[in-house]
Amino acid sequence: MEISAGNTIFVIMSFEGPDVYSSAGGLGTRVNNLAEKLAKKGFETHLFFVGDPDLKGYEAKEEGRYILHRWCQWISRYHRNGVYDGEDGKVRDFSWSVPEYIVRTIFSRAKEEGKKVVVMAEEWQTADALMNMSDRLYYGGMKGYATLLWNANNVMSFHRINWGRLAYTAKITAVSRFMKHILWQRGLNPVVVPNGIPDRLLKGHDGAHVTELKKALKSHGKDMVLLKIGRYDPAKRWRMAVEAVARLKEAGVKPLFLIRGGIEPHGGEIMELARERGLSVGEINAGRPSVEEGIELLGTAPRADVLSLKFFLPETLVQLLYHCCDGVLANSGFEPFGLVGLEVMAAGGIAFTGATGEDYVVPMVNAISVETDDPNELTTYLLHLQRHPELRKKVKAEAHKTAKAYSWDRVVDNLLLRIEFFMGEQGGQGAGGAAG
């Protein structure tokens, strides 16, 4: 069966989503961009997620083709610290109420209209919901209208998943070959559906903004500007990054290390390590500045080796920083996909990634791959690039080319072809397919 907007409806289930309340990592970005691109291609697309309790429960976008369903709002009103606050109660509610609603409304209408429904569930929190939905579809005589997919973005809470039942119920996908290999160890053979890059990140930068930001950074009198953004999680190798900056300074380099972390306790340890290693530390405190205000803040910031950016970074400013800094340290020790690295490449920057799920990296061609947790590896590569500006230029150019290959347009086209394959496998089941 060839999929088209006229014969297929998409449903995505995810704990994270586009709301600030619902964003904790890359998953919210993934599902929003995926759903948005499907809607732009003409597909009716529904996203069910744990939404902001103060926003509308139902919201239509993209001329009514992209529908947001903010779920668990009655629980979230008592858990104001984000999507994962009160997680267990939300999982229980999501697992039973979402399948019932989707089958009763979306599937019933699809059956009347003779359409297929593709349900894509993300991460462990949605596994039970998908399996419960399979049962409802079977006993309602609608299993033949469904293609069910479950996607692994991480290994978190794998121990909670009934893998036998899930694999019987749904097609398993994974965000990278790295995750595919992990699932191989469980006797599963998932199909890879990678993350993508929104087209807007590939369109280049405002020339005036680039000039002003470079001027602001140059005013610090440093000869190497580095950036690291992420949660203060030991797996992100913050200690490695700070130690590498300290060794650069000891080698005679004048570094400026811009950091944007979270609220995790590990952040205090990182600041203390920086001071112990002889790095001066400063910070910028602000609210939600515009791009222009953010550039001005960076230019007038305290002079220090390590500068903590304690304010909201607009996407445009983040992309400008990726482009203008000498290196972006996305050097995680465990990264199932590594969306930050790909975003850096889209901005025409130089990403220093780990060596786990970053399938898109060709070392020293389009990015720098860090294979160990030894700070000397980082300093070696940084000094090499400083000595060879022609290599920096080549890496930046190749990085942008690679990012284009991961645009959501291309990723979604690949996904649609995969789903046609899945539908072909299911072809003989009809409405009486096996219960999950």
Side-chain angles (χ1 to χ4, degrees):
M1 170 183 169
E2 184 172 358
I3 296 176
S4 71
N7 63 21
T8 304
I9 299 170
F10 277 88
V11 174
I12 301 173
M13 299 192 300
S14 167
F15 244 50
E16 292 190 32
D19 298 348
V20 173
Y21 177 90
S22 310
S23 300
L27 180 58
T29 301
R30 170 186 169 84
V31 295
N32 183 50
N33 287 334
L34 171 57
E36 198 171 66
K37 181 55 66 175
L38 286 167
K40 287 181 184 296
K41 286 182 174 288
F43 290 95
E44 177 186 330
T45 306
H46 300 259
L47 174 60
F48 289 81
F49 66 104
V50 177
D52 188 321
D54 298 322
L55 297 179
K56 293 185 293 186
Y58 179 100
E59 181 182 351
K61 304 170 70 175
E62 296 294 333
E63 299 179 343
R65 294 189 301 273
Y66 178 19
I67 300 96
L68 301 176
H69 300 265
R70 294 184 173 91
W71 221 257
C72 299
Q73 287 179 297
W74 70 275
I75 300 176
S76 298
R77 288 189 184 97
Y78 301 97
H79 296 278
R80 294 282 176 170
N81 294 321
V83 58
Y84 296 116
D85 186 16
E87 181 178 20
D88 288 342
K90 292 172 180 176
V91 170
R92 286 191 293 271
D93 181 70
F94 196 99
S95 297
W96 290 105
S97 60
V98 170
E100 189 277 332
Y101 177 86
I102 291 173
V103 172
R104 175 169 50 84
T105 59
I106 298 173
F107 271 97
S108 294
R109 177 166 54 84
K111 182 179 180 181
E112 291 176 2
E113 297 173 357
K115 294 182 178 180
K116 293 279 189 177
V117 181
V118 176
V119 181
M120 304 175 64
E122 301 276 341
E123 291 291 64
W124 77 268
Q125 295 94 344
T126 65
D128 281 344
L130 195 65
M131 292 183 282
N132 292 337
M133 183 185 300
S134 177
D135 290 346
R136 286 183 176 274
L137 290 169
Y138 172 71
Y139 291 113
M142 290 184 280
K143 191 69 180 289
Y145 296 93
T147 297
L148 308 182
L149 284 65
W150 181 84
N151 187 60
N153 292 279
N154 209 309
V155 298
M156 288 185 291
S157 289
F158 267 17
H159 65 282
R160 302 193 192 197
I161 297 174
N162 183 336
W163 289 103
R165 186 181 175 210
L166 182 61
Y168 185 71
T169 296
K171 286 293 178 183
I172 309 296
T173 63
V175 75
S176 64
R177 289 194 295 271
F178 175 68
M179 285 301 298
K180 180 184 179 84
H181 294 164
I182 288 175
L183 288 168
W184 272 355
Q185 298 169 16
R186 295 180 176 270
L188 302 168
N189 187 25
V191 171
V192 175
V193 179
N195 274 320
I197 288 292
D199 294 340
R200 65 180 180 275
L201 300 188
L202 295 164
K203 292 181 178 178
H205 311 281
D206 181 286
H209 284 161
V210 171
T211 299
E212 288 302 311
L213 179 56
K214 286 184 176 180
K215 181 180 177 181
L217 296 175
K218 190 175 180 180
S219 70
H220 288 258
K222 305 291 188 175
D223 49 26
M224 185 182 293
V225 182
L226 305 174
L227 172 69
K228 186 171 177 65
I229 298 176
R231 291 177 293 107
Y232 282 124
D233 182 334
K236 302 294 183 184
R237 287 178 172 166
W238 282 95
R239 296 185 69 87
M240 176 189 185
V242 169
E243 181 63 34
V245 172
R247 295 184 189 189
L248 285 170
K249 185 176 181 180
E250 290 170 350
V253 175
K254 293 184 288 185
L256 172 60
F257 188 25
L258 305 174
I259 62 176
R260 177 66 172 93
I263 60 172
E264 298 80 11
H266 187 54
E269 299 174 18
I270 294 306
M271 292 301 147
E272 186 60 31
L273 173 64
R275 294 185 182 95
E276 288 176 359
R277 293 293 286 113
L279 298 171
S280 57
V281 176
E283 60 183 46
I284 307 175
N285 290 282
R288 299 176 68 90
S290 65
V291 173
E292 293 78 11
E293 290 168 341
I295 293 173
E296 184 178 353
L297 285 168
L298 287 164
T300 59
R303 274 27 187 175
D305 301 319
V306 179
L307 194 55
S308 179
L309 311 181
K310 294 192 171 182
F311 59 91
F312 174 79
L313 293 172
E315 181 183 89
T316 301
L317 180 56
V318 171
Q319 291 294 304
L320 284 166
L321 284 167
Y322 288 164
H323 179 75
C324 294
C325 288
D326 296 301
V328 180
L329 306 186
N331 56 309
S332 298
F334 180 86
E335 197 65 71
F337 181 83
L339 186 57
V340 169
L342 196 59
E343 290 172 344
V344 174
M345 294 164 74
I350 298 183
F352 286 72
T353 73
T356 48
E358 297 90 342
D359 296 345
Y360 50 83
V361 168
V362 183
M364 291 295 175
V365 175
N366 60 12
I368 313 300
S369 178
V370 179
E371 300 282 340
T372 73
D373 61 359
D374 186 343
N376 282 329
E377 187 179 9
L378 264 181
T379 57
T380 298
Y381 300 154
L382 286 163
L383 290 170
H384 182 76
L385 286 175
Q386 187 183 52
R387 291 192 297 265
H388 297 279
E390 74 286 353
L391 177 59
R392 289 177 47 78
K393 187 175 180 180
K394 288 179 181 178
V395 170
K396 280 174 169 275
E398 288 299 322
H400 196 257
K401 290 180 186 177
T402 299
K404 284 183 177 179
Y406 281 84
S407 72
W408 272 114
D409 248 338
R410 296 191 181 185
V411 171
V412 168
D413 285 344
N414 179 55
L415 170 63
L416 295 177
L417 189 58
R418 301 286 196 194
I419 292 171
E420 287 182 13
F421 160 62
F422 296 150
M423 287 179 171
E425 281 195 321
Q426 294 172 346
Q429 288 188 359

